[in-house]
Structures are given as structure tokens and as C-alpha cells.
Amino acid sequence: MISNFTTKQLTEMIYELLEALEYEIVLSNPTTESKFPAVVINTPLESTSKRYNTEILQKRFQVSIECWNDKKYDVMEMMEEISQILIKYNFIKTNTTPDIFDEVTQKYRMIMTFEVKYDGLNNSFI
């Protein structure tokens, strides 16, 4: 049977994996009232890689994850911790943005982009 893994399921999975780090995890940008350090999981992009008739055999997901904290070095450390968790699930880091200082929250922010392929036949990440 062919499985259909969705962006919602991927977001929930990443959320659960990152909970072990004990950072505040949110799905939208933090505000001045938010708890820090914070991790933002942006909505993944999804594309179909392989199909057979109407069945999707393989998908590719791309997700951006933001780290927010008081200091640049702390943000870098957070990024490394997240990378180490996601690598275990075959995620590949494809991009990292330079750090940005957010004037409203007075925090540093860095964004990483990860990609992973999903195989619907084996219900696994490849």
C-alpha cells in the first residue's frame, strides 16, 4: 500500500523531534511577549518527484527552521543541535542565512533550510 505523507504530518514530526531540545517551539514568528530561546518551524514546501497514474510514489519536502536567541553564538549552537537531530532522519541542510538582528524582539535570528525525500512505497525518508 502506498502511503501519503503530508506537510502537516511532517511539521508535527519535526515539532516532536525538536521538543527534546527544550526550546520554545512555535509555528509563526515570535513576538516581544514570546519565550526565548525560540525555534520557528515554517510551513514545509512539498513537491511530487515520482508518480504512477494518480498515486504519488515520491515527494520532496523543503522546510525552513528559524532559531532565535540573545546572542549570535547561541543561535549558531541551536542550529547545530537541530541539524544533528534532523540528519538522523535523512534531512539535508541546503541553506543557511546570515544572522539577522530583530529590532522588535532584540534577538538574533538565523534561518536554515532542510530538504528530505519521502518514499511512499516504503513509508520512509530517503
Side-chain angles (χ1 to χ4, degrees), residues 4-12 44 46 59 61 118:
N4 184 19
F5 200 75
T6 66
T7 56
K8 179 181 181 276
Q9 289 172 305
L10 181 70
T11 305
E12 289 170 342
E46 175 185 327
K59 291 182 179 183
F61 292 99
Y118 175 76

Side-chain angles (χ1 to χ4, degrees), residues 3-67:
S3 298
N4 184 19
F5 200 75
T6 66
T7 56
K8 179 181 181 276
Q9 289 172 305
L10 181 70
T11 305
E12 289 170 342
M13 184 191 93
I14 293 170
Y15 190 101
E16 289 173 15
L17 291 172
L18 299 184
E19 276 184 316
L21 297 175
E22 298 182 359
Y23 297 126
E24 183 71 16
I25 301 173
V26 294
L27 302 178
S28 59
N29 280 343
T31 65
T32 53
E33 290 85 34
S34 297
K35 293 180 185 177
F36 292 94
V39 174
V40 178
I41 303 170
N42 292 299
T43 304
L45 301 174
E46 175 185 327
S47 61
T48 302
S49 303
K50 292 182 184 176
R51 307 173 54 148
Y52 180 76
N53 294 329
T54 59
E55 296 290 336
I56 296 172
L57 304 177
Q58 192 177 89
K59 291 182 179 183
R60 185 179 70 147
F61 292 99
Q62 186 179 59
V63 61
S64 294
I65 298 176
E66 301 177 25
C67 298

Side-chain angles (χ1 to χ4, degrees), residues 46-97:
E46 175 185 327
S47 61
T48 302
S49 303
K50 292 182 184 176
R51 307 173 54 148
Y52 180 76
N53 294 329
T54 59
E55 296 290 336
I56 296 172
L57 304 177
Q58 192 177 89
K59 291 182 179 183
R60 185 179 70 147
F61 292 99
Q62 186 179 59
V63 61
S64 294
I65 298 176
E66 301 177 25
C67 298
W68 294 68
N69 211 335
D70 294 327
K71 299 176 184 172
K72 277 188 196 188
Y73 287 130
D74 293 340
V75 172
M76 292 175 191
E77 186 176 315
M78 291 172 68
M79 289 177 53
E80 186 58 30
E81 291 172 331
I82 291 168
S83 294
Q84 291 305 311
I85 290 173
L86 295 181
I87 284 171
K88 294 176 186 173
Y89 294 87
N90 293 332
F91 283 76
I92 298 169
K93 190 187 317 185
T94 59
N95 193 18
T96 303
T97 62

